[in-house]
Amino acid sequence: MNDKVFMRRAIAVDGNLPPRAPRWAWVLPRLAAILVPIVIGALLWLLHHNDLDDQRTTMISDVLWLEQNLRFQMERNLEQLRLLNIDTVETRATPTYDARAQALIQNGSGLVQIVRLDRIGRLRSVTPAAAPDQRQRLRSLAVFTEASRRAVQLDKPIYSKPFNLDVDDPCFAIFVPHYNDRPADVIVGVYSVHALLYQMVPWWFTEKYRVSVMDANGATLSSKSRVQTSDSDLSYQVAFDPPGQGYTLAVVAYHHGTRLLPALLMMTIVLLTVAILVSLWAVKRHVQRRHVAEKALREEYAFRKAMEDSLLTGLRARDLDGYIVYVNPAFCQMVGWSADELIGREPPMPYWAPEEMAQTLTVYEQIMAGTAPHEAVELRFQRKNGERFDALIYEAPLIDANGVHHGWMASMLDITERKRAEERYRQQQDKLQFTARLVTMGEMASTLAHELNQPLSAISSYATGCLNLLDDSNGAAAAESDVVHTLRKVVAQAQRAGQVIRRVHEFVRRREPMQEPCAINTVVEDATGLIEVAARWRGVRLQLDLAPNLPPVQVDKVMIEQLLLNLIRNGMDAMAQTVADQRLLVVATVSHERGVCVSVSDRGPGIAPAVAAQLYEPFFSTKQEGMGMGLNICRSIAELHHGRLWFEERANGNGTTFSLWLPVE
């Protein structure tokens, strides 16, 4: 699992307060508070001396680096001067001499002049060009003459002693000879000590040290510093070779002062000691309060854990990557896997049923994407033993106290028994509806017998008449015509009787519900055809007000006929005390709200408010011989077809209208 997985830590439940700390636990901090100033003072003394040693070591390292850097640059300048002399003498490239010499001076390596002497020490050129008085000064310098002579004799570069070109500008020079079968010219590189320090010593070095160049007598030739130093500061000297000649490179570290005054330091230590003692007392009180709070937290956690463990609803938490991070005992009991086996698992989960894998995975992806429906989702899972069960799952985002979304929390209910009960209830409802149809037909038996008796009696009479005509006419043509006419009446009456029998057979036979597209007007006509005889016996006039061109509806024709028969019979019963000439029952159809609506309106006394509240309850009836299941069955049939059944008082206040709405789609 990734780092986002929630870690649930168990808290041990202890009903007693934690034991008091031993006495030494409080004496030891006090003793430590006394020893702390002593130890800190000793450490400060050691740190001070170590700091001085570290500063000296660092300074020596920096001075050696500076000396090596100066040495390297001066050796590099020597090579450049030697190459300049060789190229100038051997190639006679006099026009390029000044440019190359000027470039070497501008390189920022401490050189301020490059002088060219002949083999006997006479001045030939000065770069950059010097004033006549300065050239005369160079000719008169005994240092130049002596150093040039020694360089030619030894045939190697020679550094001169210090000399001054200008006031307060100490210099020294490097004389580089060249032989080409005979002594040739000498190239002299003149260094300014000031320029050497300011060009070759980096800025960060002068931020830390004062750098000076001293001669053999200890006189300071030049220095580079921003602040004054004292005799007590750290210092270090190293021989400046090259150029030698007794030069010394002296470095003095700046004095930074004492970091903390001893008195202030000791006062601070005392104050800190007092603060430590006060802090210990405060910590002691805080620890005691913390023990009390932890005890209350353990008790609260144990109480909430007991509530989670006692729930019959399964709880499961997943992180944003789909890993299970928590399950309660009820969830484990439902699926048959333990918490250790489930926590840390990623999809597909072991309790997903293989035959429902596609649907379960689709719901999981919707939940992870945040597009799952807010209402509950029904899924079929499997237990560890392979048994399937139906579950009702509610998923919700898992948000912490800071409003951060960490995952998804689900509650799961095992609805297997509920679905079985619903299936048994549906089967009982089917049986009840079938029984209700039989009861309805039983009540209509006498009227149906009369309805069948009329066509059968007519058939018998017409058949007897045909026989008499055949016996009397002896085959006459007129008699034959009468017989044909009579036989047609016989066929019509037989069809009428067969139609009645077919309707009764379809109505009472037991079969599974089957919804198919039906014209609602045809269903209404068939239902009224079954009950029109009973209506005539009761003196009730049936009036059909059917809207044309209604769209077909997807219904079970027999169930809708049963619903309409119950409503029509109830309407006729409601008009039992109504005056005979006003017993009118209107059955109407109309298009309404993307569906069709069938209404049955009577002219009875209406429904009292006390009766209206219990009208759809099972076994409630206002009739002495009634079962109290008619309207309950009617509402069940309407809901089965995703429709609605309601009643309201007629517009003129005379009677009641029951309405059935069925969706077209």
Side-chain angles (χ1 to χ4, degrees), residues 429-449:
Q429 284 290 102
D430 292 343
K431 294 178 181 179
L432 186 59
Q433 291 176 15
F434 176 69
T435 303
R437 289 200 295 271
L438 292 179
V439 171
T440 301
M441 286 297 101
E443 295 177 355
M444 297 173 60
S446 59
T447 58
L448 289 174

Side-chain angles (χ1 to χ4, degrees), residues 507-521:
F507 187 74
V508 300
R509 72 172 180 163
R510 186 169 184 175
R511 61 181 179 81
E512 290 295 324
M514 181 179 62
Q515 296 187 8
E516 58 186 359
C518 299
I520 193 63
N521 288 343

Side-chain angles (χ1 to χ4, degrees), residues 556-576:
D556 186 291
K557 181 174 177 293
V558 174
M559 286 187 177
I560 300 301
E561 285 182 2
Q562 181 180 0
L563 187 153
L564 294 176
L565 283 176
N566 285 339
L567 296 181
I568 293 172
R569 287 180 57 219
N570 289 344
M572 292 191 302
D573 292 340
M575 294 187 292

Side-chain angles (χ1 to χ4, degrees), residues 18 91 93 157 218 221 264 308 322 342 390 470 499 520 536 612 617:
T91 62
L221 300 178
L264 180 61
E308 291 180 9
L342 294 176
D390 296 307
L470 291 175
Q499 188 176 14
I520 193 63
R536 287 199 302 270
E617 294 183 3

Side-chain angles (χ1 to χ4, degrees), residues 94 129 134 152 244-245 259 352 429 461 474 529 608 640 647:
T94 304
Q134 190 176 17
V152 172
Q245 302 295 339
R259 297 181 182 178
W352 288 5
Q429 284 290 102
S461 299
N474 292 322
L640 179 64
F647 69 91

